[in-house]
């Protein structure tokens, strides 16, 4: 048998398609990460102005006219309102104009991402210099000194997501596994739920009591982690039920290739290009990162939306997994040992 014959026998059409699929994932990975992160700049950052009425109107017009639309300015009544809106994550910064002096106050929240707070500080200093005024910066929700660049929440969620799709992948393709009938689908989802509980508490304890990287309650982070892990795991099981082993690649496409760069981790959402800023909150990494930062730095505010997103992925993934198992019908007798 010639070498070419050996190659033909080894490289089946199915193997060739899988290799092509891996190449496509590789190119999408590069495109997604570089496309999202190569040129971060603020766009339409929710920003408040507190100033006397006439001065506030002029300042808002000036901010609206900045090149590239970095800010989405609006007036609020007073500093207390601005602080409250930052804590509730309605805005990312605020400029408090003091008509009695030549120094104004910029409110930021580095807990939502130090890159964004630094960008707002630099931009506001430039604006105030053009008005012959000074500015002092006050961090309303500062990131922990142990949380460099506010990235710990993002890395925590990435770890939870990796655990979710790896566990689901193992359940789907490990030795002895078989296509899921109804009973096996329930068992796999049950194992996924138990793993999610363990993974959630493990991550919360590591970033909290062990490393001190994130403040916030361990119980709240545990609940978030369990939901993130199960949502990603259920999604992976559903895609595997629909498309076989290709489903694992599709899970990587959604969670890693599309989800991670759009999560607002390295650069918060207002600094991402419009496409990534739009899809990020709807995917598990983005919803999880927002929720983890809210728990750690924003008194648990603005959690409903991300939790609904994660719950939707968990419910939809579970429903599709069970539905496909029912549609597949009872499995034929299999002489291999019972597995999940």
């Amino acid at each position: 048998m010639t070498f070419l014959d050996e190659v033909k026998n080894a490289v089946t059409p199915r193997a060739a398609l899988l290799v092509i699929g891996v190449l496509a994932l590789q190119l999408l990975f590069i495109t997604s990460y570089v496309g999202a992160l190569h040129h971060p700049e603020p766009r339409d950052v929710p920003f408040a102005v507190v100033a006397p009425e006439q001065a506030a109107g002029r300042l808002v017009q000036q901010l609206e006219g900045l090149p590239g639309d970095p800010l989405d300015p609006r007036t609020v009544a007073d500093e207390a309102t601005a602080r409250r809106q930052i804590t509730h994550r309605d805005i990312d910064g605020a400029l408090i104009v003091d008509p009695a002096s030549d120094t104004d106050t910029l409110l930021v929240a580095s807990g939502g991402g130090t890159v964004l707070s630094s960008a707002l500080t630099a931009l506001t200093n430039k604006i105030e210099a053009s008005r012959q005024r000074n500015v002092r910066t006050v961090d309303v929700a500062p990131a922990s000194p142990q949380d460099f660049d506010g990235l710990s929440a993002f890395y925590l969620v990435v770890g939870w997501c990796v655990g979710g799709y790896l566990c689901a992948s193992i359940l789907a393709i490990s030795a002895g596994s078989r296509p899921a009938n109804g009973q096996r689908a329930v068992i796999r989802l049950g194992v996924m739920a138990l793993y999610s509980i363990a993974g959630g508490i493990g991550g919360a304890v590591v970033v909290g009591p062990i490393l001190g990287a994130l403040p916030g309650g361990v119980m709240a982070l545990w609940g978030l982690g369990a939901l993130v892990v199960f949502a990603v795991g259920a999604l992976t099981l559903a895609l595997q039920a629909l498309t076989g082993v290709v489903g694992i690649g599709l899970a990587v496409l959604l969670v890693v290739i599309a989800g991670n760069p759009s999560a607002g981790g390295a650069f918060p959402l207002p600094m991402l290009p419009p496409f990534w800023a739009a899809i990020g909150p709807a995917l598990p990494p983005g919803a999880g990162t927002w929720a983890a930062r809210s728990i750690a730095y924003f008194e648990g505010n603005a959690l409903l939306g991300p939790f609904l997103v994660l719950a939707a992925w968990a419910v939809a993934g579970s429903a599709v997994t069970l539905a496909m198992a029912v549609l597949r019908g009872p499995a034929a007798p299999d002489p291999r040992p019972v597995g999940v």
Side-chain angles (χ1 to χ4, degrees):
M1 183 177 291
T2 66
F3 175 75
L4 289 178
D5 291 331
E6 291 284 355
V7 171
K8 290 178 181 178
N9 290 332
V11 183
T12 64
R14 182 173 182 270
L17 288 174
L18 289 175
V19 170
I20 292 171
V22 170
L23 175 61
L25 285 177
Q26 173 187 299
L27 296 178
L28 286 171
F29 184 99
I30 295 169
T31 302
S32 183
Y33 278 71
V34 176
L37 307 177
H38 78 288
H39 185 51
E41 57 183 5
R43 294 178 179 84
D44 294 321
V45 180
F47 190 82
V49 171
V50 178
E53 186 174 353
Q54 291 186 347
R58 290 194 299 270
L59 183 53
V60 167
Q61 286 184 341
Q62 180 184 357
L63 297 180
E64 288 177 334
L66 291 173
D69 298 321
L71 301 177
D72 178 16
R74 74 287 309 268
T75 58
V76 299
D78 50 37
E79 181 176 345
T81 302
R83 286 176 174 268
R84 184 170 60 253
Q85 290 190 6
I86 290 174
T87 303
H88 285 78
R89 309 200 73 179
D90 297 322
I91 59 175
D92 292 307
L95 181 62
I96 315 300
V97 176
D98 183 0
S101 76
D102 64 352
T103 300
D104 299 329
T105 301
L106 172 67
L107 305 180
V108 297
S110 61
T114 58
V115 175
L116 179 57
S117 63
S118 297
L120 288 177
T121 300
L123 180 61
T124 304
N125 280 322
K126 183 177 180 181
I127 294 168
E128 290 287 85
S130 71
R131 300 170 63 228
Q132 288 79 52
R133 296 184 65 81
N134 302 312
V135 62
R136 69 183 185 96
T137 302
V138 176
D139 201 337
V140 176
S144 165
Q146 306 300 319
D147 182 13
F148 178 74
D149 270 357
L151 290 172
S152 296
F154 172 59
Y155 291 137
L156 171 63
V157 171
V158 168
W160 280 333
C161 289
V162 168
Y165 66 72
L166 285 181
C167 180
S169 300
I170 290 169
L171 291 174
I173 66 173
S174 62
S177 293
R178 300 184 288 263
N181 57 17
Q183 181 180 15
R184 294 194 195 105
V186 170
I187 292 173
R188 291 177 185 180
L189 288 170
V191 171
M192 196 70 244
L194 293 174
Y195 176 86
S196 300
I197 293 171
I201 186 62
V205 169
V206 167
V207 301
I210 294 179
L211 297 179
L214 282 182
V218 169
M219 295 300 292
L221 287 175
W222 180 8
L224 171 64
L227 184 54
V228 169
V229 175
F230 187 79
V232 173
L235 164 65
T236 305
L237 287 175
L239 292 172
Q240 190 272 339
L242 287 168
T243 62
V245 70
V246 174
I248 298 171
L250 295 177
V252 171
L253 174 63
L254 280 174
V255 176
V256 178
I257 294 175
N260 284 354
S262 65
F267 301 111
L269 293 175
M271 301 194 72
L272 296 178
F275 172 76
W276 282 268
I279 67 172
L283 296 173
T289 299
W290 177 278
R293 284 176 172 161
S294 289
I295 291 169
Y297 298 118
F298 296 92
E299 302 174 3
N301 290 311
L303 287 177
L304 179 60
F307 269 82
L308 288 177
V309 168
L310 293 169
W313 283 108
V315 171
S318 300
V320 170
T321 300
L322 294 171
M324 289 301 298
V326 171
L327 290 174
R328 186 175 288 115
D334 195 314
R336 294 178 293 178
V338 175
V340 297

